[in-house]
Amino acid sequence: MNPQTLVKDGYEQKLKEMTKKVLEGSEITREEAMFILNFPSEKIEVLFECATMIREKFRGNKIDFCAIVNAKSGLCPEDCKFCAQSTKWKTKIQRYPLLPVEVVVQKAREAYEMGATKFGIVTSGRGPTDKEVEIICEMIIEIRKKVPGIEPDATLGELTEKQAQKLKDAGVSHSNHNIETSPRYFPKICQTHTYEDRLRTIKILKENGIGVCCGCIFGMGETNEDRVDIAFELKKIDPKIIPINFLNPRPGTPLESIPVMHPDEAAKCISMMRFVNPSKQIKVAGGREVVFGDKQDWVIKAGADDLMVGNYLTTPGQDYKKDWALALSLNLELPEHIREKAQIVSGNLL
Ligand code: SF4
């Protein structure tokens, strides 16, 4: 047996031991997480097999969908280097203040039709004014009345205790507030606020009983050590949902020339996150289409159990019916309210 084969088998053996460990309820180490990021790409199907076993054990065979609306676009004074909505960068995007309540309620209806069970009201800016929170609370109350099947979420940046309480009282379900990257790399991505500022808002959300959706963006020039740190930071934060975004370099931002991640590398990031956070709802959101192209099934095979459908904040997403067909092709259970419709619609796509 040639040494190469020995090495590869050694890789497989080690991965299977790690999988057994996680399935039996134990945690993997940082070294083991790094091992996943360095796993040989020619054996990626073995990684998918193991990640799928963990997803099925802890998350079952369901897939969840969410959708968002960019409710206030492009008016942010912060300097996040990946973000087209910062007024610091010359980007060609629409810029507008908070949308009217009925427009956002209509977007929630459309999200429900696309199969989403959660709908995120997203505003650009470091944090909302009290007046904006008042209007967003109205949106949440109207959505709960007029689109009863969907959970209204709010992603508004930094919040005060009072604002968080108002949102909770209005019926907000979850709030997304990402750490974006590792504590070490954060100052390289943003200087106008800190990693600690982000942790403070996450704490306020938790203390006010709002479900935390907290994740990251891979592919911004961070190292593999940073990627492992991100997964273990999220383990510590213990959010309900972990969204994984991949950098889709926006023209005009400082990260515009960063190459798009290779699907192998991106898939290993998802699997590493699944091994480190086996019981979490792991969502793949922004950058999914540009990174995985016609390998969208890798996103689920690598360990995710949730997709953002429809458009992103400033870039288009693929046709949501393709996501229905993708989920059905992998024998996943879709959100109840679209199961029948999806079978019919996807019949033509599969
Ligand atoms: S705070 Fe949010 S909206 Fe503002 S630049 Fe950063 S990511 Fe973009």
Side-chain angles (χ1 to χ4, degrees):
M1 189 180 285
N2 73 45
Q4 264 327 85
T5 319
L6 272 175
V7 172
K8 280 186 184 157
D9 289 343
Y11 269 106
E12 263 191 56
Q13 189 53 38
K14 178 167 174 154
L15 187 70
K16 292 199 168 156
E17 283 159 13
M18 287 163 53
T19 307
K20 189 165 173 293
K21 195 171 144 179
V22 173
L23 292 173
E24 289 168 355
S26 302
E27 296 176 353
I28 67 165
T29 64
R30 285 169 180 268
E31 292 67 38
E32 288 171 324
M34 185 60 84
F35 172 80
I36 294 171
L37 295 179
N38 295 321
F39 198 73
S41 292
E42 67 274 17
K43 289 232 150 223
I44 203 151
E45 289 300 332
V46 179
L47 180 59
F48 290 165
E49 206 186 296
C50 296
T52 297
M53 274 196 267
I54 295 173
R55 175 183 57 76
E56 288 177 348
K57 158 97 190 210
F58 290 95
R59 305 289 309 161
N61 213 32
K62 284 197 167 109
I63 187 162
D64 197 14
F65 297 137
C66 82
I68 55 173
V69 60
N70 188 348
K72 176 184 161 190
S73 181
L75 304 175
C76 182
E78 299 295 300
D79 69 345
C80 306
K81 290 198 171 108
F82 56 85
C83 185
Q85 303 205 69
S86 165
T87 51
K88 303 243 190 274
W89 326 128
K90 290 202 172 10
T91 54
K92 292 198 175 66
I93 62 157
Q94 281 189 306
R95 299 181 192 278
Y96 51 79
L98 202 54
L99 291 174
V101 172
E102 61 283 357
V103 171
V104 171
V105 174
Q106 179 50 31
K107 290 286 180 192
R109 284 195 193 92
E110 292 163 16
Y112 188 66
E113 291 308 310
M114 291 194 284
T117 63
K118 293 180 183 60
F119 172 68
I121 302 167
V122 188
T123 57
S124 62
R126 176 149 179 181
T129 63
D130 288 345
K131 181 69 194 145
E132 285 170 334
V133 168
E134 228 173 270
I135 299 168
I136 291 159
C137 285
E138 216 186 303
M139 292 171 182
I140 291 161
I141 291 165
E142 287 300 297
I143 291 168
R144 282 228 174 262
K145 254 192 275 167
K146 295 180 176 159
V147 198
I150 209 162
E151 295 279 328
D153 294 354
T155 302
L156 313 177
E158 286 184 10
L159 293 173
T160 64
E161 285 281 353
K162 215 173 97 219
Q163 291 174 332
Q165 195 50 60
K166 274 189 185 257
L167 289 161
K168 178 66 183 171
D169 295 347
V172 79
S173 168
H174 292 77
S175 178
N176 168 260
H177 201 65
N178 291 334
I179 55 172
E180 308 297 15
T181 189
S182 72
R184 182 199 73 87
Y185 200 58
F186 194 92
K188 301 241 174 12
I189 293 297
C190 175
Q191 273 91 46
T192 49
H193 63 270
T194 65
Y195 185 84
E196 287 65 35
D197 290 330
R198 295 217 152 234
L199 293 183
R200 194 177 318 112
T201 295
I202 292 164
K203 189 164 173 285
I204 287 173
L205 291 170
K206 283 192 167 193
E207 285 168 354
N208 286 278
I210 297 175
V212 172
C213 169
C214 179
C216 62
I217 306 172
F218 288 125
M220 300 198 286
E222 74 284 349
T223 64
N224 272 353
E225 284 76 17
D226 290 316
R227 291 170 180 172
V228 170
D229 282 351
I230 292 169
F232 280 87
E233 282 288 309
L234 289 169
K235 194 175 183 69
K236 232 180 352 184
I237 291 167
D238 188 25
K240 285 262 177 56
I241 302 167
I242 298 179
I244 295 176
N245 301 277
F246 296 101
L247 184 73
N248 179 2
R250 297 293 79 217
T253 65
L255 300 187
E256 66 182 350
S257 316
I258 289 212
V260 171
M261 273 182 99
H262 192 280
D264 293 20
E265 193 187 355
K268 292 172 197 172
C269 288
I270 298 172
S271 295
M272 185 270 295
M273 191 67 81
R274 177 54 71 198
F275 271 77
V276 174
N277 297 282
S279 63
K280 289 297 166 195
Q281 182 165 344
I282 296 178
K283 176 196 307 289
V284 174
R288 171 165 66 94
E289 291 85 344
V290 280
V291 167
F292 290 97
D294 60 6
K295 289 189 169 76
Q296 296 287 315
D297 54 331
W298 282 24
V299 168
I300 305 296
K301 288 179 177 173
D305 63 324
D306 182 342
L307 298 176
M308 185 174 282
V309 292
N311 294 332
Y312 304 109
L313 292 173
T314 61
T315 55
Q318 72 175 15
D319 177 355
Y320 65 90
K321 294 193 238 23
K322 283 189 179 170
D323 296 321
W324 292 2
L326 169 69
L328 289 171
S329 72
L330 296 168
N331 300 318
L332 295 172
E333 201 179 300
L334 289 166
E336 196 169 351
H337 71 285
I338 54 156
R339 268 180 217 153
E340 222 173 295
K341 199 164 48 173
Q343 290 287 359
I344 300 160
V345 170
S346 306
N348 314 328
L349 290 169
L350 285 173

